[in-house]
Amino acid sequence: MGVEGIGASVKRKEDRRFITGKGRYVDDIKLVGLIHAHFTRSPHAHAKVKGIDSSEAMKMPGVVAVLTGQQIVDDKVGNLICGWAITSKDGSPMKMGAWPAMAPETVRFVGQAVAVVIAETKNQAKDAAEAVVVDYEELEAVPDIRAAIKRGAPQLHPEAPGNVVYDWHIGDEAAVKGAFAKAANVVEMDLTNNRLAPNPMEPRSAIADYDTAEEHYTLYTTSQNPHVARLVLSAFYNIAPEHKLRVIAPDVGGGFGSKIYIYPEEMVALWASKKVGRPVKWTSDRTEAFLTDHHGRDHISKAEMAFDKDNKILGLRVKTHANFGAYMSLFSSAVPTYLYATLLSGQYMIPAIYAEVMGVYTNTTPVDAYRGAGRPEASYLLERMMETAARQLKVDPTELRRKNFITTFPYQTPVIMAYDIGDFGASLDAAMKAIDYAGFAGRKAKAKSEGKLRGIGVSCYIEACGIAPSKAVGSLGAGVGLWESAEVRVNPVGTIEILTGSHSHGQGHETTFAQLISERLGVPISQVQIIHGDTDKVQFGMGTYGSRSLAVGGTAIIKAMEKVEAKAKKIAAHALEASEGDIVIENGEFKVAGTDKSIALPMVALAAYTAHNLPDGMEPGLKETAFYDPTNFTFPAGTYICELEVDAGTGKTSFVNFVAADDFGRLINPMIVEGQVHGGLAQGIGQALLEHAVYDTNGQPVTASFMDYAMPRADDLPSFQLSHTTTLCPGNPLGVKGCGEAGAIGASAAVINAITDAIDNNKLEMPATPNRVWHAIHGKAR
Amino acid sequence: MYETTYHRASSVDEAATMFTKGSESKYLAGGHTLIPVMKQRLASPSDIIDLGRIKELIGIEASGDAVTVKAATTHCDVATSKTVQTAIPALAYLASLIGDPAVRHRGTIGGSLANNDPAADYPAAVLAMGATIKTNKRSIAADDFFEGLFATALEEGEIITAVSFPVPAKAGYAKFPHPASRFALVGVFVAKTKSGEVRVAVTGASQSGVLRVTAVESALQADWSAAALDDVAISDDGLFNDLHGSSDYRAHLIKVMAQRALAG
């Protein structure tokens, strides 16, 4: 490796501007003539909009326009879409209700927009939004899955009878029935996966700027995938054709999935900008973020696992109900199906699996992908099942797992996924060694003698990342291909620009991607610029989610690099009067192997652009583009073990140790990987102990501020001990798998397994707040 | 935030005069409750009278058997005051637990008491130690000051100028923080006066705001020890019952936090 190449923990190039307050976020952007939007939002979870009187609001100072849901429908702006078609087990397509960007007739969750006020200042817009009089007729609301599917429950959408979007299944029901018929032991559990509010540090924001002369829109937005935003806005929402719409996602302060989607506010800003003839800005406040950023998780499941007399797993049966909220968000349908149930084999040989998933509408904020997206729900379910099974079968939980590990690859699971490679035993061993698993019994006994409840919990996770092979996801109902593209430009003076469709919003791409170039060409990373987040600059791209940026986006860069290198070698060979096959690249020099003849990269680049002396027939210039479509998912996997103590007097959990042994394939920048794991673990532990988005029975949010929604703070978290075991991914030339979601996928089960071990009561749901743990200790489950 | 007019007072008298001139005036101390509430448009005072820079309202004095903390003294100044740490270490400790560093550097004792949030820390100390709240008009005994959620004996326009704490023979505070807000889910202050009276106040737990816990007081009056509380039953009548703490959990925490306050 070079000093700044693959494997080097170089400091992040982008951090200088971030930590000196010089990042350029959407809300920092000011345009001439900029005016401000503020939405009038529903205070009710379910109501008819009988009328909107904006006459008083229009008279307020600075008000330019008050626009309503009916107007956006009249102007034929399209309804919001869900981009992945799921087919129910009876063969019927999923049943979706219409979702206009502002509600013309019915509101279905607290916070849904019914009108927007455009005014000269933000405060004027807020003042006037309060003067918009909306006549609501309140309807009965159902915020809860169980209530929503009851006979006679209030119906959200006429298109979805019984509030059911789909009733889907995967696997072999008969084979699972057979497995249970011959089981020596059966383990059963009911599990809840708690609803989370994503809360990226930067709230969502949009500026829409319509150019009347060019009939062209520019949208600055907080997006993880600006090209996808442009595609959807033009192809489905009727805003503008693609060549008349530029989408820019500049610095974005965290996404965690919540900024994948195209939200009503961006659509309204674009539409309003043309209507009022001025650039329109909208920036969410934190309350709006709680109400309208799409939430994550929210499953209830029943799981049953069959074991033979030797404790080998025979089969798994799962029935899950997933809460989609009031509308189907962009990728929501895929999350509890193809991103969840396809991972239910975990790290284990399970000969038969059958899972049923019912997607349900409720009067709550829409639910979609949130860091891990389906895979944390699968991993939590399986790993609590394995720990519970070990306790029921009276065997060590690590031994039960090891006995059932998949050990030969490739391995075809019964639920679509084909694991390419892994070494689950190695990561389990590494984690057990790191935490001194063998010494735990002694530590527990010592803690007991001091009046403390100590527990240990294991979680062996696997995830499918590098999303995704286009043909495969297309066959499963995806509306788009999930390849990535890159352009490598070597400039005439030898500096390099990489244009990538992967968007960086905290992941450190500007450093990691530059390291790929440094490794290949031997140039310092300061000579490499990563350009992303602008549809006018970057050819195309599918964006950042599903731990895909390096495995898919990075590979596209490598593919484009290979083309650049091939051309550069031809130029070098011509200049050095050598055979192309003899040219090797070393430390930024193109050398004739075995001689002292060489030409530096800048001279090759200059030759390419002066074009005074190129090989006959060669085009000038040195830039190449590649589109890369992966052949399979990647499968990061690992083991997390958590050791903690519970204060029996208060139910409070204190960490003693938390170890992570991950297999992410090859690491490009280990320091950045470490940061990604820390962040993921914080979110997984946050879900396990603290975070919960809650509604009352009327659909009013109970946790719409940080006073009630417990975000993890630094002192809620332990110091993590990280390590890596490595099997190189065979599916891409870098051998990488992705690391962004692992922590959030694997951590929660380890924590809950440790607490239930400590208190010797398995009836405990997330988040395991002190209140809940205390009740569990005292046998009063809540 | 709605439009408001900001005034900076340089004396208590000037502040009181300014207050009468606005149609709906509010005093501003540290602002860590008022400003967020205004930003959420849940409060819309016509005039804001800033007390934070009035010199006569800042400082800590020890005289004889009392520690007097002037009203605009920040939590950080109380927490780090050698005078408080020496005379009433439990009070300095309590101040060190309030909010986060930003809150502690802005928030003031007078602001906290005038607001009387049912989960604020200071009311527990003031009530348990039988402190006296001094205002620009009178002195109010702690037992007469707190009147329920966000309600106090203060009259319209009245300004707290100082709080005088009699130095106790023994005192301790234990707080179980709310997982989200870090206010007290339950906070218990135990004190024994120099004349031997035991007073115990709990914050965070009750729908009536800070209150004394007579069951704990009588047990500790007989025996000042954690063991004395083992068999004490705390009623969950009138306690908060919400997402982060059911009423029976809070009742249990009152006992546990009282025991820990004794140890601390």
Side-chain angles (χ1 to χ4, degrees):
Chain A
M1 88 186 189
V3 184
E4 296 182 326
I6 290 174
S9 286
V10 294
K11 287 195 178 139
R12 304 199 328 168
K13 290 173 70 180
E14 49 269 73
D15 283 348
R16 182 183 172 84
R17 71 175 189 276
F18 294 151
I19 63 178
T20 56
K22 299 213 166 95
R24 186 167 174 267
Y25 298 89
V26 174
D27 194 55
D28 295 327
I29 295 168
K30 292 175 178 62
L31 302 178
V32 175
L34 190 66
I35 49 178
H36 299 266
H38 190 77
F39 288 86
T40 298
R41 297 184 182 280
S42 171
H44 306 297
H46 199 188
K48 286 263 175 238
V49 179
K50 297 181 73 179
I52 299 176
D53 180 358
S54 55
S55 54
E56 284 306 308
M58 278 304 295
K59 293 179 204 158
M60 307 258 304
V63 172
V64 175
V66 180
L67 305 170
T68 66
Q70 192 54 51
Q71 284 170 283
I72 205 164
V73 171
D74 291 345
D75 280 0
K76 299 193 168 33
V77 173
N79 291 328
L80 278 85
I81 61 153
C82 178
W84 197 309
I86 300 293
T87 305
S88 286
K89 49 176 115 156
D90 65 4
S92 64
M94 65 182 188
K95 299 176 174 66
M96 274 180 48
W99 185 9
M102 294 192 290
E105 288 174 357
T106 308
V107 286
R108 295 182 177 86
F109 67 96
V110 173
Q112 186 173 3
V114 293
V116 65
V117 176
I118 317 284
E120 295 292 339
T121 72
K122 190 170 179 170
N123 237 6
Q124 287 171 334
K126 275 191 175 178
D127 288 345
E130 287 175 6
V132 174
V133 181
V134 185
D135 181 12
Y136 292 105
E137 177 193 334
E138 271 193 79
L139 302 171
E140 198 188 338
V142 273
D144 170 75
I145 296 171
R146 289 183 182 88
I149 56 175
K150 270 195 187 140
R151 196 180 294 274
Q155 300 292 295
L156 269 75
H157 298 278
E159 299 87 346
N163 298 316
V164 175
V165 179
Y166 55 65
D167 185 7
W168 174 90
H169 66 163
I170 191 171
D172 187 336
E173 186 178 15
V176 167
K177 200 173 171 192
F180 278 81
K182 62 180 179 185
N185 287 292
V186 172
V187 178
E188 292 181 21
M189 268 188 103
D190 291 313
L191 295 121
T192 303
N193 207 286
N194 42 322
R195 174 185 280 246
L196 305 176
N199 278 313
M201 193 181 290
E202 180 206 22
R204 289 190 292 119
S205 183
I207 300 173
D209 183 12
Y210 180 69
D211 180 332
T212 315
E214 296 289 337
E215 297 179 325
H216 181 279
Y217 294 85
T218 302
L219 174 67
Y220 302 85
T221 183
T222 47
S223 175
Q224 299 177 214
N225 32 234
H227 285 89
V228 175
R230 186 180 66 163
L231 172 66
V232 173
L233 285 164
S234 58
F236 299 99
Y237 300 161
N238 210 20
I239 299 285
E242 280 169 304
H243 66 298
K244 293 290 183 186
L245 174 59
R246 176 184 184 185
V247 178
I248 300 171
D251 283 332
V252 172
F256 312 112
S258 73
K259 292 173 182 168
I260 295 172
Y261 329 117
I262 292 82
Y263 285 90
E265 290 84 0
E266 289 116 80
M267 296 165 61
V268 170
L270 284 162
W271 168 70
S273 171
K274 182 174 181 182
K275 269 196 130 50
V276 302
R278 288 172 65 180
V280 173
K281 178 191 271 190
W282 169 78
T283 299
S284 166
D285 63 24
R286 187 57 66 183
T287 306
E288 285 180 294
F290 272 108
L291 297 180
T292 68
D293 287 4
H294 296 173
H295 290 173
R297 320 282 193 255
D298 206 345
H299 286 190
I300 51 175
S301 296
K302 181 176 182 59
E304 302 160 272
M305 199 178 256
F307 288 86
D308 72 9
K309 62 178 173 37
D310 298 323
N311 296 333
K312 298 275 266 186
I313 305 168
L314 294 171
L316 172 69
R317 187 188 283 136
V318 176
K319 188 164 179 65
T320 292
H321 288 84
N323 190 344
F324 282 133
Y327 297 96
M328 291 300 287
S329 175
L330 192 65
F331 283 117
S332 58
S333 57
V335 175
T337 49
Y338 292 112
L339 293 177
Y340 163 72
T342 55
L343 269 302
L344 284 171
S345 195
Q347 298 189 355
Y348 312 108
M349 282 181 285
I350 307 181
I353 298 176
Y354 181 65
E356 296 168 280
V357 179
M358 183 178 279
V360 179
Y361 275 129
T362 64
N363 292 108
T364 60
T365 298
V367 178
D368 205 326
Y370 170 68
R371 201 170 192 171
R375 293 153 290 168
E377 296 91 317
S379 188
Y380 177 72
L381 179 142
L382 258 188
E383 289 307 294
R384 278 207 72 185
M385 284 293 282
M386 291 305 282
E387 201 86 8
T388 302
R391 290 171 195 171
Q392 187 175 320
L393 302 171
K394 300 197 184 334
V395 295
D396 183 276
T398 62
E399 283 313 307
L400 183 68
R401 286 178 171 89
R402 197 185 300 277
K403 180 183 283 258
N404 286 284
F405 274 160
I406 294 160
T407 51
T408 53
F409 297 90
Y411 177 85
Q412 177 63 53
T413 72
V415 279
I416 297 178
M417 290 298 171
Y419 302 160
D420 51 5
I421 200 163
D423 186 346
F424 307 143
S427 46
L428 178 62
D429 287 342
M432 287 172 71
K433 186 163 178 244
I435 206 157
D436 182 21
Y437 189 83
F440 174 72
R443 297 195 295 278
K444 185 177 175 104
K446 183 165 181 293
K448 193 176 178 188
S449 72
E450 293 160 358
K452 292 173 180 164
L453 304 174
R454 189 175 280 220
I456 197 163
V458 179
S459 171
C460 297
Y461 75 91
I462 188 164
E463 46 172 336
C465 295
I467 291 173
S470 300
K471 196 172 171 184
V473 295
S475 73
L476 301 176
V480 289
L482 292 171
W483 44 265
E484 195 45 87
S485 88
E487 180 177 316
V488 175
R489 287 183 191 157
V490 182
N491 295 319
V493 290
T495 57
I496 296 168
E497 290 164 319
I498 306 297
L499 293 85
T500 170
S502 299
H503 187 274
S504 187
H505 36 277
Q507 293 87 348
H509 295 173
E510 291 171 38
T511 307
T512 301
F513 289 170
Q515 287 180 257
L516 300 179
I517 304 304
S518 182
E519 176 77 18
R520 297 289 287 237
L521 292 181
V523 296
I525 59 172
S526 61
Q527 298 291 301
V528 184
Q529 188 76 15
I530 307 299
I531 297 160
H532 67 92
D534 184 340
T535 58
D536 264 14
K537 292 182 181 168
V538 177
Q539 56 291 343
F540 209 94
M542 298 311 295
T544 291
Y545 40 82
S547 304
R548 70 190 302 272
S549 290
L550 187 57
V552 188
T555 301
I557 292 171
I558 294 295
K559 298 284 181 193
M561 268 301 302
E562 284 169 357
K563 295 185 192 176
V564 165
E565 285 172 5
K567 184 169 181 182
K569 279 182 179 175
K570 285 195 174 78
I571 296 168
H574 182 72
L576 297 170
E577 295 176 341
S579 156
E580 185 191 330
D582 292 338
I583 302 291
V584 293
I585 307 172
E586 280 175 20
N587 299 323
E589 303 265 309
F590 288 72
K591 290 185 174 168
V592 181
T595 75
D596 59 356
K597 291 207 301 186
S598 72
I599 178 170
L601 174 67
M603 298 310 293
V604 175
L606 194 62
Y609 285 94
T610 56
H612 294 161
N613 183 22
L614 289 176
D616 285 346
M618 179 182 275
E619 291 177 13
L622 193 54
K623 69 161 200 163
E624 298 288 349
T625 301
F627 285 65
Y628 171 70
D629 197 1
T631 52
N632 192 358
F633 294 86
T634 63
F635 297 95
T639 296
Y640 297 157
I641 307 182
C642 170
E643 184 170 333
L644 49 73
E645 281 182 356
V646 174
D647 177 345
T650 63
K652 177 146 178 61
T653 298
S654 308
F655 287 99
V656 176
N657 204 348
F658 195 109
V659 303
D662 294 296
D663 179 356
F664 298 134
R666 180 170 281 119
L667 308 183
I668 307 302
N669 184 320
M671 179 199 72
I672 289 178
V673 170
E674 194 174 332
Q676 288 285 313
V677 176
H678 282 192
L681 291 173
Q683 280 171 300
I685 291 170
Q687 173 168 27
L689 294 181
L690 296 159
E691 298 186 53
H692 197 186
V694 179
Y695 291 85
D696 72 10
T697 51
N698 299 317
Q700 289 293 327
V702 176
T703 51
S705 86
F706 289 133
M707 293 296 282
D708 301 298
Y709 187 91
M711 282 292 279
R713 294 165 165 91
D715 67 351
D716 290 315
L717 303 166
S719 282
F720 305 112
Q721 275 191 61
L722 309 189
S723 65
H724 300 281
T725 59
T726 301
T727 57
L728 295 179
C729 177
N732 62 65
L734 290 166
V736 298
K737 301 183 183 181
C739 66
E741 297 165 293
I745 290 168
S748 54
V751 174
I752 300 298
N753 286 340
I755 297 175
T756 55
D757 178 46
I759 66 174
D760 196 23
N761 180 355
N762 204 33
K763 285 218 176 314
L764 184 68
E765 298 285 9
M766 300 190 291
T769 60
N771 182 41
R772 279 186 169 166
V773 174
W774 180 79
H775 281 92
I777 292 170
H778 297 277
K780 296 184 268 185
R782 294 183 73 82
Chain B
M1 191 181 286
Y2 296 107
E3 201 167 286
T4 189
T5 306
Y6 172 88
H7 310 268
R8 182 181 293 166
S10 53
S11 72
V12 172
D13 288 344
E14 190 193 13
T17 307
M18 285 171 166
F19 189 93
T20 60
K21 289 183 180 160
S23 60
E24 210 178 311
S25 299
K26 270 273 189 193
Y27 291 121
L28 175 72
H32 271 66
T33 300
L34 182 59
I35 302 288
V37 168
M38 287 173 68
K39 284 169 81 173
Q40 290 176 320
R41 297 185 159 220
L42 298 172
S44 52
S46 62
D47 294 78
I48 291 287
I49 324 294
D50 189 350
L51 308 175
R53 310 212 186 184
I54 300 176
K55 290 212 168 59
E56 62 194 287
L57 288 182
I58 298 169
I60 296 165
E61 290 166 4
S63 56
D65 284 339
V67 170
T68 299
V69 181
K70 293 182 185 173
T73 308
T74 64
H75 311 324
C76 179
D77 284 346
V78 173
T80 57
S81 156
K82 290 279 175 274
T83 304
V84 180
Q85 286 173 352
T86 307
I88 318 176
L91 183 63
Y93 172 68
L94 174 146
S96 78
L97 300 179
I98 301 172
D100 55 24
V103 169
R104 291 196 288 276
H105 279 86
R106 291 292 306 174
T108 69
I109 188 168
S112 171
L113 294 174
N115 189 46
N116 193 21
D117 188 303
D121 296 280
Y122 269 132
V126 167
L127 188 58
M129 286 193 277
T132 302
I133 289 103
K134 296 184 174 169
T135 77
N136 57 339
K137 294 179 179 168
R138 58 189 166 140
S139 289
I140 309 171
D143 285 324
D144 302 325
F145 182 79
F146 301 104
E147 295 185 346
L149 301 187
F150 300 101
T152 68
L154 291 172
E155 288 162 7
E156 184 72 6
E158 192 172 4
I159 299 170
I160 299 176
T161 55
V163 185
S164 180
F165 294 92
V167 174
K170 292 175 179 173
Y173 182 63
K175 170 183 184 174
F176 192 81
H178 184 290
S181 71
R182 300 274 174 105
F183 272 78
L185 194 71
V186 170
V188 178
F189 201 102
V190 296
K192 190 180 220 175
T193 65
K194 285 193 169 165
S195 61
E197 186 198 1
V198 171
R199 294 171 61 101
V200 176
V202 58
T203 186
S206 170
Q207 296 173 28
S208 316
V210 64
L211 50 73
R212 290 175 62 182
V213 200
T214 47
V216 174
E217 287 181 350
S218 44
L220 293 181
Q221 193 73 58
D223 174 9
W224 181 266
S225 77
L229 300 180
D230 281 347
D231 297 323
V232 171
I234 311 280
S235 165
D236 62 6
D237 260 9
L239 299 190
F240 285 117
N241 184 22
D242 55 35
L243 188 63
H244 288 283
S246 63
S247 52
D248 61 339
Y249 176 58
R250 279 186 160 95
H252 169 80
L253 281 182
I254 291 173
K255 182 159 95 179
V256 173
M257 289 298 118
Q259 290 177 315
R260 293 183 185 181
L262 288 164

